[in-house]
Amino acid sequence: MINLDFLEANKERLREAYLLAKPFPYLIIDNFCDPVKMEALYAKIPELNNKSRDYVFANNKFEKSNYKELGTEFQELYDDLISDRMNAFLSFIANEEVFVDPKNHGGGLHQGKKNSFLDMHLDFNYHPLQTSWFRNMNLLLYLNKDWHPSYKGHLKIQDLRTGETKELEVPFNRMIIQQTRAYTLHGYEMTNFPDGKFRTSIATYAYTTHMHHVEKPRTTDWVVSDAKPVKKMLASIYGPAVKIKNKLFGSGTAKNQ
């Protein structure tokens, strides 16, 4: 499914592009998957009804973590994403050992419906279940057929250290590999897709093993500086509240099956 031969043949160029990107390392790969297989996969994408648990920070956003059950094309994509070849490629471009979470905790098929948005945020840094796994990369495969910039929903990235911002287009069969650190803000502004079309992607997360924590473990950290006071207050207490909830009831991140 994934054009792994292309990735391996061009890995030197792609590593340079990733490491030198601004405002922080990211990489755009168009025609990431075989186009015929991607057409078949696209035809099997259902409308999702499991709403995101991000609540006030994400509007009209739906998720399905176990997307591989949707058909053979989804299974093949999943198998390629967790393969040794993919892990070797990611490790090469990052210049450190990186591996995809085989259970894809928190990832999956994501679908933004009418007026969807996702506020700017920092992802959790250490895996909630595998506490030595440090989140290194987001792999975001976009499935927006016939996407046009006027539909909005660009991936917006911002370096929290410098404030530098960039908006990346999200057309069909485009993979964006984005570094995740304590300063790599990302999200998307309210969409304007035509009726019956949704902002659709498959999110996969890659990790590096740390012998010792180099950061204090955190949950998703929302940054909503231009929001109303109530939303700012909710953002400030979100992390501690999630930690308490997880200790009492366990993590619910991957329950949208």
Side-chain angles (χ1 to χ4, degrees), residues 26-46:
Y26 74 88
L27 179 63
I28 292 175
I29 307 172
D30 286 321
N31 301 311
F32 184 70
C33 293
D34 178 274
V36 175
K37 292 181 178 180
M38 279 295 283
E39 292 285 348
L41 181 148
Y42 180 80
K44 294 181 180 178
I45 297 174

Side-chain angles (χ1 to χ4, degrees), residues 241-255:
V242 169
K243 287 181 179 179
I244 293 171
K245 186 272 295 181
N246 287 348
K247 286 182 180 180
L248 294 175
F249 305 108
S251 174
T253 303
K255 292 182 179 178

